[in-house]
Amino acid sequence: MTYPASRRSLARLRALQVAGLSLSALSLGGFAVLSAPGSAPMSVSVPQGGVPRFTLLLAGRDIVYCAYRTPCRDQEQRTGLFQPPNTDTLMLVRVDAGRVSVLSIPRDTNVGEFDPQGSIAAQKVNSQYWSGGPEALTRAVETITGERVDGYVVVRTDYVARVIDALGGLDVTVPEGGIEWIDQAAGVDLRLPAGNHHLAGEQAVLFLRVRKGFGDDYGRIDHQKQALTQLAGRLRSPRGVAALPTIVGGIGDGVETNADPGLLPSLLPHLPGLRLTFATLPTRPIEGTFNLAADREALARLWGQGAEVTSTGVGAVPDVSVRVVDASGANLGPGLERALRTLGYAQVTVETAPPSGEASQTFTGTSVEAANELAGALGLARLQGERFPVSANEVGILLGADARTSLAALADLSGSRGAGLTLSRTPNTETP
């Protein structure tokens, strides 16, 4: 059963937001979006007085090693390598109509139709950078997604570590069983017990690269999304401003890009109003291989323009159940439950988790439109993938420590301060 919810009701829920995470997904590497010397600049469409429209490929690549546990002095070296680099993190970022949509592409995705006579490894998207540079990687992503890619930003892991340190580290939650990743050849020794951790740059990068403990590449992709959301939010703080020299200093020292130098200045006035959503490329296994075939039909439903339009709230509340995981450390879950029930969400459950520095967010499997509705109302990023398992017809909301500020009014609704704030549904007398 569903209940009517007016635009005014959703506006009241939005009023709970003080400083939500409505920042560009480009924020992690966004201030490094400046063209490198000698590169052909990307073209960007800028509507009259509007937000620039473009797609940008954001890729993370390994450090190259010239000998056992010995990084090459020249990180752009292409011959005589002990361990060549792959691009194990691939995100296609689309900025359009006030929304920043980020599509993560699994590293084993096949480029085009699978050729059983060809090299299996050479057909994977993560091998394209080594064989043909950022231009070949860009063309491969266009083939996989059917989207035009206007520009690219390729960042090394050591650059990402410097940025994370400059932004104050990364708060993470390690799943049950903990994490142990030891790679003597690359000098990797990461051992983390289950629970919450605050990681400095080098450890944070290892955490973002590890798959063990998260199931597979999809689990790794999901906690990369969460980390990007967390770091993007920090750019609004004084610490973020202080980090700008480190971020900008990556050009030529850990960052390859052909992005236009005027891109970021044109975005700055619009950053507070941009909405952030994440999705993962749907794929199917290719029999007899570890390669994955892109499912373009499922991608269109998940990430197509129509799937990303946030409802105005006029009409019926989506008939979904909502699971709130309260890791705020401030008992904000009951307040959010009360607000959601006032709006007509009949099935709301609240779980309490240990306080976490992870960013607040909504997450979903297939109920993308309903998750977008809640993400827009609360001013949170929306994730889709495997990290937070949700059932069909269910949307999850994670409240992290940042919710103490961004959703502070929930404390009133929880009854922990004063008389509290009440929400009431008003009849829908507005036109869409």
Side-chain angles (χ1 to χ4, degrees), residues 28-329:
L28 176 58
F31 288 95
V33 180
L34 304 168
S35 61
S39 63
M42 62 182 277
S43 60
V44 177
S45 169
V46 183
Q48 178 106 16
V51 181
R53 297 175 180 172
F54 60 90
T55 56
L56 187 74
L57 175 60
L58 181 60
R61 77 167 177 87
D62 300 336
I63 294 174
V64 295
Y65 286 81
C66 286
Y68 183 75
R69 301 189 69 170
T70 307
C72 298
R73 181 172 298 178
D74 178 8
Q75 280 296 306
E76 304 311 315
Q77 187 171 323
R78 289 292 182 269
T79 59
L81 300 181
F82 175 78
Q83 183 175 314
N86 281 322
T87 49
D88 286 338
T89 300
L90 291 170
M91 296 180 177
L92 184 59
V93 181
R94 182 171 63 206
V95 178
D96 188 22
R99 180 177 295 276
V100 180
S101 306
V102 183
L103 179 71
S104 292
I105 301 173
R107 63 191 296 248
D108 293 330
T109 304
N110 207 80
V111 180
E113 293 294 325
F114 177 70
D115 179 4
Q117 306 303 316
S119 165
I120 293 177
Q123 295 181 64
K124 293 182 180 182
V125 67
N126 77 326
S127 70
Q128 305 306 305
Y129 173 81
W130 173 246
S131 62
E135 292 80 8
L137 181 64
T138 299
R139 291 193 298 271
V141 170
E142 289 181 330
T143 298
I144 290 169
T145 63
E147 291 258 352
R148 171 186 167 84
V149 179
D150 297 310
Y152 61 81
V153 177
V154 181
V155 298
R156 280 200 320 257
T157 54
D158 57 323
Y159 166 78
V160 177
R162 295 196 301 270
V163 171
I164 290 174
D165 276 335
L167 290 172
L170 186 68
D171 293 300
V172 304
T173 300
V174 174
E176 291 184 15
I179 290 175
E180 182 175 308
W181 178 24
I182 301 172
D183 183 347
Q184 295 292 342
V188 172
D189 189 341
L190 180 68
R191 306 169 200 240
L192 296 172
N196 295 327
H197 298 269
H198 182 79
L199 305 181
E202 288 189 14
Q203 267 201 319
V205 167
L206 293 178
F207 174 83
L208 295 176
R209 295 179 61 198
V210 71
R211 283 180 285 176
K212 184 178 180 181
F214 293 94
D216 54 17
D217 195 36
Y218 288 94
R220 175 172 66 175
I221 283 172
D222 282 343
H223 70 260
Q224 289 173 350
K225 297 173 189 174
Q226 197 283 333
L228 186 59
T229 303
Q230 182 184 146
L231 295 170
R234 291 186 184 169
L235 278 175
R236 304 180 69 175
S237 70
R239 181 125 199 188
V241 175
L244 292 185
T246 299
I247 298 172
V248 175
I251 301 298
D253 184 20
V255 177
E256 289 178 82
T257 181
N258 68 340
D260 193 301
L263 178 59
L264 182 65
S266 66
L267 274 177
L268 284 176
H270 306 285
L271 285 181
L274 294 177
R275 292 296 178 192
L276 178 59
T277 63
F278 290 94
T280 301
L281 176 74
T283 59
R284 301 185 304 271
I286 298 175
E287 187 176 355
T289 77
F290 290 106
N291 292 22
L292 302 168
D295 186 337
R296 294 276 287 273
E297 290 186 7
L299 175 62
R301 294 192 297 270
L302 178 70
W303 205 62
Q305 299 287 354
E308 297 182 0
V309 177
T310 301
S311 168
T312 62
V314 177
V317 167
D319 189 12
V320 295
S321 60
V322 181
R323 178 163 61 94
V324 178
V325 178
D326 184 2
S328 67

